[in-house]
Amino acid sequence: EIKLVLNGNVMWQISGADYVAMLQFYGIDIQAGVLPLVFALPYMDNAVNGDIFALGTADLRTAVLEIKLGSGITSPTLNAYSEILVGGNQPLGMFIKIEDTHYGAEGTGIREISNLPITGAGVGLKALHVTTDSIGEVEIKANRAELFKVIPEINANQLSIRTSRTGERVLQAGYTHVDLGGNRLADVVNMTNIADFRVKLDFTAATAFRVIHELTVNGSAMVA
């Protein structure tokens, strides 16, 4: 598990396997034996939008990274390195918050989820990653209006069209990806005034699953 705590607030909490799958979905290379923790987003439509999400440290009192190693590892060695923008001295500002919500196994057919903790002032919904590919169509409604739909037969092609200018998506086996923001900051869904948010998933098999949510937040406000 990877857990990032800034000024006492949990900003990332995700399993290592899920995080690796996310990186690979976004086309980010992973070297054997190295786990990159990516803040600035290299696949965004321009460098300015990607750099917005770099981990600014000017207003941080504490930053704690917790890594839980998998069972069966003997004599582990763990080293951490950072790439620092010299002279930046920026506040945390915009940040990608990553968490997951767990759900139990149920039968096939439509499952509606209405309790994802993703709404609020200044919150943007960037993407959802469901930890099963036993899902047909996905429909998202906001304030009872259809907001987004994923159709498996054309999802890969749609993602390719939306992201081809700055980087492709790679659909991961065992996951269903709902990429609302694509590579454009303007396409992230503003959740500030959304009182009713529902995700309808058409399950083709009964399975327990997690919904990983990537949110854009004003990190400085959240960790103040």
Side-chain angles (χ1 to χ4, degrees):
E1 184 181 66
I2 303 164
K3 187 175 181 179
L4 179 65
V5 184
L6 304 179
N7 287 2
N9 296 270
V10 177
M11 301 295 279
W12 284 15
Q13 187 158 13
I14 185 172
S15 76
D18 289 341
Y19 185 68
V20 167
M22 275 180 46
L23 293 180
Q24 292 175 330
F25 170 69
Y26 288 116
I28 296 174
D29 293 332
I30 301 175
Q31 176 185 333
V34 177
L35 179 64
L37 305 180
V38 180
F39 301 110
L41 305 180
Y43 54 80
M44 295 297 281
D45 58 352
N46 63 66
V48 173
N49 282 346
D51 289 348
I52 284 175
F53 300 103
L55 179 61
T57 58
D59 53 357
L60 287 185
R61 298 182 303 276
T62 60
V64 179
L65 175 64
E66 299 179 7
I67 302 291
K68 184 177 181 180
L69 300 179
S71 60
I73 297 177
T74 57
S75 302
T77 299
L78 185 65
N79 297 310
Y81 306 90
S82 61
E83 181 180 0
I84 299 173
L85 178 62
V86 177
N89 196 30
Q90 298 294 317
L92 180 56
M94 288 290 287
F95 189 78
I96 302 295
K97 185 176 183 180
I98 305 172
E99 291 183 303
D100 61 11
T101 305
H102 295 238
Y103 295 92
E106 293 192 10
T108 60
I110 300 294
R111 169 80 183 269
E112 183 175 273
I113 300 174
S114 60
N115 62 343
L116 287 175
I118 59 175
T119 59
V123 175
L125 176 58
K126 180 177 175 291
L128 300 172
H129 309 273
V130 188
T131 60
T132 175
D133 53 11
S134 297
I135 295 175
E137 290 191 5
V138 179
E139 180 184 23
I140 293 179
K141 287 189 174 183
N143 292 343
R144 303 194 177 186
E146 184 176 298
L147 175 67
F148 201 84
K149 181 173 280 189
V150 174
I151 301 172
E153 291 80 5
I154 63 173
N155 191 28
N157 188 248
Q158 285 182 307
L159 287 171
S160 178
I161 292 169
R162 294 175 60 209
T163 65
S164 59
R165 286 192 303 134
T166 52
E168 297 285 339
R169 297 293 190 266
V170 183
L171 298 177
Q172 299 296 297
Y175 292 83
T176 298
H177 303 281
V178 184
D179 187 0
L180 295 93
N183 289 353
R184 287 166 43 87
L185 186 57
D187 288 345
V188 172
V189 179
N190 187 341
M191 303 296 289
T192 300
N193 296 315
I194 296 179
D196 188 287
F197 183 88
R198 298 174 185 270
V199 181
K200 293 177 71 174
L201 307 166
D202 186 4
F203 282 88
T204 58
T207 180
F209 63 96
R210 301 179 303 284
V211 179
I212 302 163
H213 13 97
E214 285 187 83
L215 306 176
T216 63
V217 299
N218 184 336
S220 295
M222 293 194 70
V223 302

